[in-house]
Amino acid sequence: MNAPLPCLSIEPVTAPLQGRVVLPGSKSVTNRVLLLAGLARGTSHLTGALKSDDTLYMAQALRQMGVDVEQPDATSFVVRSTGMLRAPDAPLFLGNAGTAVRFLTAASALVRGTVVVGGDANMARRPIAPLVTALRQLGIDASAPSGCPPVTIHGTGGLSGGSVEIDASLSSQYVSALLMMAACSSKPVRISLSGPHIGAQGYIGLTIAAMRAFGASVMAGDDASWTVAPGGYTATDFRIEPDASAATYLWAAEALSGGAIDIGFPIDDFTQPDAAAWRVIQSFPHMPAVIDGSQMQDAIPTLAVMAMFNATPVRFVGIENLRVKECDRTHALATQMQRINPAYAREEGDDLLVFPSPDPVQTAKEVRIETYDDHRIAMSFALAALKIPGISILNPGCVGKTFPAYWDTLRALGVKIAPCG
């Protein structure tokens, strides 16, 4: 096996980028339906799926818990399950896959026995205490002494229903985790928010839609409470839509180069929250002066890099949660922009201000972008390299987390990419 490349150099484009791109499947949807298929009795066929680090960690964890997960081709999973998860023989290692860790932490409460859910060093810094606290409210023996993974769950083989309040200000994934687990309870489960704020509300809708596709009954009282009826899940066939977060890089590359890139999927057919970034991108180079990123968090690195070339400054607000993603994305964006040109960006509290340079080419210098092992930092700064000479990307293999074919996709559109000299 070849060693991973430590660095890729990207040349600015001299012509509009044009072509057709096959997007990877949605990471968010793939990891949801993998778990739901694992909790459903029978055989489910999942097509259009993403095969990446995050989803392969989820598939392997399900295998450890007694679920038969096959991969017949590059975009499909076949999942066969008894509808019950069993205690694994060893801790579940999930890398830095936040969805997998949070979803399996809750689902492990349904297991009879002990489950340890953890990941790599980056995951060990990502908060999970609100979810653990909520599980305890439901009578589940769960602990995470550091407030971050690993989490240890001592399950009794089921859940007896009840009511739970959760602080979801850090992540909507906490709510999604509880919702998906709750359908396997013997009695109804009511979930409500303990505060008015929730990160990326749209992902709750994504979760509920997937649950209903697998036969669950979920009633939303309002935007802050949900009741899940008992009954479990029924195996089904599910077609996964393309990844909207991945699409943002192609929409941005099209806008920055004046090109025409066909992603093969209508914008109005996306159900993922990050698709909202499309309308912002269409406004380039006259993006709004203030952009609220609270409901399209994974699109913010894309939009922030685009703002380097906007006609006027842009302030990004509602992005507090970016500080607890794969890295502190707000700080990473500001720091790497400043390395290209100190005038580009600054942090103000949890806001990010981006100031376009009048002539980025004149202020360019050789800069190797530190990606912090974060796929979105790598992919977004590749967009800056389309316009500014001298930019290269360290640890380019980190894109394997959600978009393994990213560099090949850019090459196919005409971008010149090579190993650093």
Side-chain angles (χ1 to χ4, degrees), residues 18 62 172 227 269 371:
Q18 300 185 46
L62 290 172
S172 66
T227 300
D269 287 356
T371 57

Side-chain angles (χ1 to χ4, degrees), residues 187-272:
K187 295 179 182 178
V189 177
R190 176 179 168 80
I191 302 163
S192 56
L193 300 180
S194 59
H197 302 295
I198 185 170
Q201 176 86 37
Y203 284 102
I204 303 299
L206 208 65
T207 299
I208 291 173
M211 290 173 63
R212 287 172 174 162
F214 280 82
S217 176
V218 186
M219 293 182 59
D222 49 40
D223 287 340
S225 65
W226 305 266
T227 300
V228 184
Y233 297 105
T234 302
T236 191
D237 295 343
F238 193 100
R239 176 73 184 177
I240 296 161
E241 70 184 64
D243 194 282
S245 305
T248 66
Y249 307 113
L250 284 307
W251 294 331
E254 179 182 69
L256 289 169
S257 71
I261 301 173
D262 180 7
I263 64 169
F265 193 79
I267 178 62
D268 290 339
D269 287 356
F270 280 107
T271 63
Q272 300 154 73

Side-chain angles (χ1 to χ4, degrees), residues 314-316 334 337 343-348 351-355:
V314 179
R315 177 186 289 270
F316 292 89
M337 287 180 187
Y344 264 133
R346 71 169 182 259
E347 299 171 70
E348 286 192 357
D351 293 356
L352 174 66
L353 277 70
V354 181
F355 303 90

Side-chain angles (χ1 to χ4, degrees), residues 256-344:
L256 289 169
S257 71
I261 301 173
D262 180 7
I263 64 169
F265 193 79
I267 178 62
D268 290 339
D269 287 356
F270 280 107
T271 63
Q272 300 154 73
D274 279 357
W278 181 83
R279 287 176 175 79
V280 179
I281 291 169
Q282 297 308 298
S283 68
F284 180 83
H286 302 289
M287 298 164 72
V290 178
I291 293 176
D292 184 346
S294 61
Q295 301 304 315
M296 51 177 178
Q297 296 168 11
D298 286 343
I300 294 306
T302 305
L303 298 177
V305 169
M306 286 194 73
M308 295 166 63
F309 310 102
N310 198 50
T312 52
V314 179
R315 177 186 289 270
F316 292 89
V317 303
I319 58 172
E320 298 88 347
N321 291 5
L322 264 64
R323 296 202 183 277
V324 293
K325 295 289 188 177
E326 281 80 345
C327 71
D328 180 341
R329 286 181 177 161
T330 301
H331 183 67
L333 287 164
T335 300
Q336 299 309 304
M337 287 180 187
Q338 289 163 1
R339 291 183 61 220
I340 299 170
N341 181 340
Y344 264 133

